[in-house]
Amino acid sequence: MNGKSTTTRTKLERGRSALGPALELVHTGRAPTRAVLTSELGVTRATAGAVAAELEALGLIRVDSSPGSAAGSQGRPSHRLAVRDSGPVALAAQVHADGFRAALVGLGGRIVATAPGCVAVMADPAQVLGEVVEAGAELLRDSGLRCVGAGLAVPSAVAEPEGTALNPMHLAWPAGAPVREIFSARVRAAGISGPAFTGNDVNLAALAEHRHGAGRGAQHLLCVATGHRGVGGALVLDGRLHSGSSGLALEVGHLTVNPEGRPCHCGGRGCLDVETDPLAFLTAAHREPGPEESLLKQSGDLLRTEYGDPCVRAAAEELIDRLGLGLAGLVNILNPDRIILGGLHRDLLEADPERLRAVVADRSLWGRSGSVPILSCSLDHNSLVGAAELAWQPVLDDPLAALA
Amino acid sequence: MNGKSTTTRTKLERGRSALGPALELVHTGRAPTRAVLTSELGVTRATAGAVAAELEALGLIRVDSSPGSAAGSQGRPSHRLAVRDSGPVALAAQVHADGFRAALVGLGGRIVATAPGCVAVMADPAQVLGEVVEAGAELLRDSGLRCVGAGLAVPSAVAEPEGTALNPMHLAWPAGAPVREIFSARVRAAGISGPAFTGNDVNLAALAEHRHGAGRGAQHLLCVATGHRGVGGALVLDGRLHSGSSGLALEVGHLTVNPEGRPCHCGGRGCLDVETDPLAFLTAAHREPGPEESLLKQSGDLLRTEYGDPCVRAAAEELIDRLGLGLAGLVNILNPDRIILGGLHRDLLEADPERLRAVVADRSLWGRSGSVPILSCSLDHNSLVGAAELAWQPVLDDPLAALA
DNA sequence: CGCAGTTTGTTCAGTTGCGGCACAAAGCGA
DNA sequence: TCGCTTTGTGCCGCAACTGAACAAACTGCG
């Protein structure tokens, strides 16, 4: 903070400084050829060539020098760049209300293998994480691929820097469970190489969508999504996740969207959480909610198959209006250039996109900031891919150091 | 965005890459000696010495090699670093409800000279900006100092990238006035060297406080302040102003803080804007509001001198509760690690700091994020200093290129 | 007062990432 | 087949930085 600090700072790394940015460009699909890589990096062709060769030597990318592989305009065709199929992978894990999922994810967000599963006693985080890591370790053994690290997505805010799950509502976990510590320990115990990371599932979904999905190219990406219960938010600024000073940013579930609404456990009334989640929708549509772990599917199916029913339609419009109010509030604070919706919010958007956009535009303060594009999530398993992004990040930052 | 872009990107500048960071460290007071500079930059003593010598040769900083200038611990005393007294300056300008102010600001946020003034016809932005630039040009001529550029602070959201003032409420300006264009033209016409910039006053105040005031060292700094009317907000992330994708982020005036509150021109009820500004305070305290341009002073004086009056105290507590609710909402979305208040909000904080902190902590979702430190602004003329920061930024980014 | 110990500034090779240039390679159009 | 255009590659040189050795300035101790 103040005055003399003896911390030895980020020593300006020697070694190709353009290596990380180059890998990130290939990883996110923004550098399909070496020529594009040259202009995007702002270096000479000589340097870009050397960088690409080095990434290929590291086994991360593939340079396709076969002639005729690139069509197009005049001039000599550029060699194509792509992530290597049998390159290293990250171990991604996700825990949700009704089980877990493990996967191996390569560069470019490519899912190489997945393994879903359930556990008997969901109330014990150590057991759940033990099983998901074991499933992941088995995938790794079967694949024989190198592992750069592991990432875990949990449906809860994750406090920084401790890595504790503050509100694992959908899980039967105790609040404050040290998920990062448990996950790291299990990963190490399973002999999986590389560091281990943990994050909130909506945050990680936003990160994945930004790099590989509907959020590509956005500078200020806002993501809002429901699970079976409750609402989560995330913000990606200039390609990096913004999770606040202690990981609690964008906990948007308790924005007030209906001053006369139903009371919320937070002490307020009409919070986004209780006004726009699947349970709220089913209640508004006068349907009997099924078991907790199927609320999301039940709501989505209802929206898609029975939108003609006046009761369903009225419920949808009520939720769209509430959601729009919440989004408008966020737009006035964050001024994003793109919004991505997931879960039931995605279904609501697709049921009546014009209505939602109109509400947001109407309640935003100044025209253009309210006409921000609102899109649906576009990736399968985006939280899982996002968890893998966490593990890939050190490699993207400095491939040489991370793979040494 | 997608695919091949022909834009020639940020060419990795040659020339000492550590020059900019080093200047920024001296500028923000984080490198009082060459030894600290060495560790903060993470370079060898040889490099730090060369960098400091080059900055001195550019006339930006002063290296005090006189013996005995540094007390302290063991070993050879380090040479002290300081910004040069008669170095270049930035021209800073501010327009507010009752006039304008021009100043010359050196590195380190040091105000070298100021000139306040008024204009007859405030309704014409071209005339106001013409006069403020003329006042600044006169200061420059009198000083004989080199000018690196000019910055302007206006009490309105400034849309990016056009640079138009969207809601100059306190001024009699037309909404959408092209302030950046006008200011740039006037600066060029006056023969003032360097680029010209324009920004919102609260944003610029936050930037100044982050670099030279109560916000030093904060990673996620939230700033909220009132002028005579209305409320503004700003966010500084990792040392850079976050103003959203079109400059409209943190327009927090229309957060709902009182569902049963008075109607607001935005269409809602009980907005922060109409519930916590000086006019709201005077009304709540049953005092006759004076002329528009003295509302802030009138409110502050009332708070400081008559806090014993039950009527004043009740009004203050009501506003503190409303402000706390608004801040808690922002804390839940942004999770800052420090909050700075200006204008009447600062006076409210100082009247009863415990009450405000308690409200924020109570309405924040998870303990620690709500116990964020809340401080008063600590700089005089922080918007003015912030405007100068805009003009200094190119020099801080690349001193050699900017001063060439 | 002198000497060890500590921290800082300076000088001088040596390394290296990268720009700049020239040339070769690979496609298109006439 | 001959330009024309665009891309890949080898070579040279610059300059920023590291590392190490040495000099300088101060404290503390005997």
Side-chain angles (χ1 to χ4, degrees):
Chain A
M1 290 292 183
N2 50 358
K4 167 182 228 159
S5 89
T6 52
T7 56
T8 315
R9 274 302 184 80
T10 59
K11 172 163 287 191
L12 296 182
E13 299 296 344
R14 304 288 291 181
R16 300 201 177 278
S17 71
L19 216 54
L23 181 58
E24 190 168 331
L25 286 170
V26 179
H27 175 58
T28 56
R30 284 176 294 163
T33 68
R34 292 199 358 185
V36 174
L37 185 64
T38 302
S39 67
E40 288 293 305
L41 286 177
V43 298
T44 58
R45 289 198 297 271
T47 306
V51 164
E54 195 157 353
L55 288 177
E56 190 176 24
L58 284 169
L60 295 172
I61 72 170
R62 188 164 43 83
V63 180
D64 187 354
S65 3
S66 69
S69 69
S73 55
Q74 294 184 353
R76 172 176 174 176
S78 187
H79 295 173
R80 302 199 69 80
L81 301 178
V83 299
R84 207 167 77 107
D85 278 343
S86 56
V89 293
L91 171 59
Q94 181 179 12
V95 177
H96 45 98
D98 47 330
F100 64 78
R101 192 182 297 272
L104 305 183
V105 184
L107 277 176
R110 192 174 48 92
I111 296 181
V112 176
T114 66
C118 287
V119 280
V121 186
M122 284 290 289
D124 180 9
Q127 194 197 343
V128 179
L129 297 182
E131 293 209 19
V132 69
V133 167
E134 185 42 51
E138 194 175 327
L139 288 178
L140 265 179
R141 277 194 301 271
D142 292 348
S143 73
L145 297 172
R146 176 172 183 183
C147 179
V148 298
L152 169 68
V154 294
S156 159
V158 177
E160 300 292 341
E162 310 91 329
T164 51
L166 289 183
N167 58 341
M169 297 185 298
H170 324 324
L171 309 176
W173 291 3
V179 283
R180 175 169 305 154
E181 196 180 308
I182 296 173
F183 183 63
S184 290
R186 296 284 172 172
V187 165
R188 273 196 305 275
I192 294 166
S193 59
F197 303 88
T198 304
N200 167 264
D201 54 358
V202 179
N203 274 20
L204 297 180
L207 187 59
E209 292 286 344
H210 179 271
R211 295 197 178 164
H212 310 295
R216 289 246 296 253
Q219 281 210 315
H220 305 256
L221 177 67
L222 171 63
C223 186
V224 176
T226 57
H228 302 290
R229 298 290 307 278
V231 176
L235 183 67
V236 179
L237 291 180
D238 297 321
R240 313 294 279 206
L241 204 49
H242 172 77
S243 50
S245 65
S246 44
L248 306 179
L250 274 296
E251 287 295 328
V252 298
H254 301 279
L255 280 176
T256 302
V257 294
N258 180 13
E260 292 103 38
R262 68 197 85 177
C264 172
H265 64 84
C266 79
R269 298 187 80 84
C271 295
L272 196 63
D273 232 5
V274 295
E275 297 280 336
T276 70
D277 77 347
L279 186 61
F281 174 63
L282 293 171
T283 308
H286 305 298
R287 303 296 165 122
E288 191 64 31
E292 167 107 8
E293 65 271 18
S294 64
L295 290 177
L296 181 56
K297 180 165 174 5
Q298 186 185 356
S299 308
D301 289 345
L302 191 60
L303 264 176
R304 278 183 293 269
T305 60
E306 297 184 46
Y307 198 62
D309 182 332
C311 207
V312 171
R313 183 171 188 127
E317 294 187 343
E318 184 183 326
L319 261 74
I320 288 174
D321 291 351
R322 306 261 185 263
L323 174 61
L325 206 57
L327 291 180
L330 290 171
V331 163
N332 289 332
I333 294 173
L334 301 170
N335 186 211
D337 59 357
R338 200 176 306 173
I339 298 177
I340 290 185
L341 301 181
L344 178 63
H345 292 170
R346 170 196 177 150
D347 298 326
L348 289 169
L349 170 69
E350 289 172 357
D352 194 344
E354 286 322 306
R355 186 181 185 98
L356 182 59
R357 296 201 176 101
V359 175
V360 173
D362 184 52
R363 303 305 301 250
S364 309
L365 293 177
W366 294 287
R368 204 185 30 176
S369 72
S371 62
V372 48
I374 306 178
L375 308 175
S376 294
C377 282
S378 69
L379 290 179
D380 293 332
H381 306 307
N382 47 18
S383 295
L384 213 44
V385 174
E389 291 299 321
L390 286 187
W392 273 112
Q393 195 61 55
V395 181
L396 296 175
D397 288 339
D398 188 340
L400 274 179
L403 297 179
Chain B
M1 289 298 176
N2 50 356
K4 168 181 232 161
S5 89
T6 53
T7 56
T8 316
R9 275 300 186 81
T10 60
K11 172 164 287 190
L12 295 182
E13 300 294 343
R14 303 287 290 181
R16 298 198 178 279
S17 71
L19 216 54
L23 181 58
E24 188 168 332
L25 287 170
V26 178
H27 175 59
T28 54
R30 283 176 294 163
T33 68
R34 292 205 351 191
V36 175
L37 185 64
T38 301
S39 65
E40 289 292 305
L41 286 178
V43 297
T44 57
R45 290 199 297 272
T47 305
V51 165
E54 193 156 354
L55 288 177
E56 190 177 25
L58 285 169
L60 294 172
I61 72 171
R62 191 163 42 83
V63 180
D64 188 353
S65 5
S66 68
S69 68
S73 54
Q74 292 184 352
R76 173 175 173 175
S78 188
H79 294 173
R80 301 199 69 81
L81 301 178
V83 300
R84 208 167 76 106
D85 280 341
S86 56
V89 293
L91 172 58
Q94 182 180 13
V95 178
H96 44 98
D98 48 330
F100 63 79
R101 192 182 298 271
L104 305 182
V105 183
L107 277 175
R110 193 174 48 92
I111 295 180
V112 176
T114 66
C118 287
V119 280
V121 186
M122 284 290 287
D124 180 9
Q127 194 196 346
V128 179
L129 296 182
E131 293 209 20
V132 69
V133 168
E134 184 43 50
E138 194 175 327
L139 287 178
L140 265 179
R141 278 193 302 271
D142 292 347
S143 73
L145 297 172
R146 176 172 184 183
C147 180
V148 298
L152 168 68
V154 294
S156 159
V158 177
E160 299 293 344
E162 312 90 328
T164 52
L166 288 183
N167 59 342
M169 297 185 300
H170 325 326
L171 310 174
W173 290 3
V179 285
R180 174 170 304 155
E181 196 179 310
I182 298 173
F183 182 63
S184 289
R186 296 286 173 170
V187 165
R188 273 196 304 275
I192 293 166
S193 59
F197 303 89
T198 304
N200 167 264
D201 54 358
V202 178
N203 274 19
L204 297 180
L207 187 60
E209 291 285 345
H210 180 270
R211 295 196 178 166
H212 310 294
R216 289 245 297 254
Q219 281 209 316
H220 304 255
L221 177 68
L222 170 65
C223 186
V224 176
T226 57
H228 301 291
R229 297 290 307 279
V231 176
L235 183 67
V236 179
L237 291 180
D238 296 322
R240 312 294 280 207
L241 204 49
H242 172 77
S243 50
S245 65
S246 47
L248 305 180
L250 274 295
E251 287 294 329
V252 298
H254 300 279
L255 279 176
T256 301
V257 294
N258 180 13
E260 292 101 40
R262 67 195 87 178
C264 172
H265 63 83
C266 78
R269 298 187 81 84
C271 294
L272 195 64
D273 232 8
V274 295
E275 295 280 336
T276 70
D277 79 345
L279 187 60
F281 175 61
L282 294 170
T283 308
H286 305 299
R287 302 297 165 121
E288 190 64 31
E292 168 108 7
E293 64 271 18
S294 64
L295 290 177
L296 182 57
K297 182 168 172 4
Q298 186 185 356
S299 309
D301 289 346
L302 192 59
L303 263 177
R304 278 182 293 269
T305 61
E306 297 184 48
Y307 198 63
D309 181 333
C311 208
V312 171
R313 183 171 187 128
E317 295 187 341
E318 184 183 326
L319 262 74
I320 287 174
D321 291 350
R322 305 262 186 262
L323 174 61
L325 207 56
L327 291 180
L330 290 171
V331 163
N332 289 334
I333 294 173
L334 302 170
N335 186 213
D337 58 356
R338 201 176 306 174
I339 298 176
I340 291 185
L341 301 181
L344 178 63
H345 292 170
R346 172 196 175 148
D347 297 327
L348 288 169
L349 170 68
E350 290 173 356
D352 193 344
E354 285 322 306
R355 187 182 185 98
L356 182 60
R357 296 201 176 100
V359 175
V360 173
D362 185 52
R363 302 306 299 250
S364 307
L365 293 179
W366 293 288
R368 205 186 31 179
S369 73
S371 63
V372 49
I374 305 177
L375 308 175
S376 293
C377 281
S378 70
L379 291 179
D380 294 333
H381 306 307
N382 47 20
S383 294
L384 213 46
V385 173
E389 292 298 322
L390 287 186
W392 273 112
Q393 195 60 55
V395 181
L396 296 175
D397 288 339
D398 188 341
L400 275 179
L403 296 179

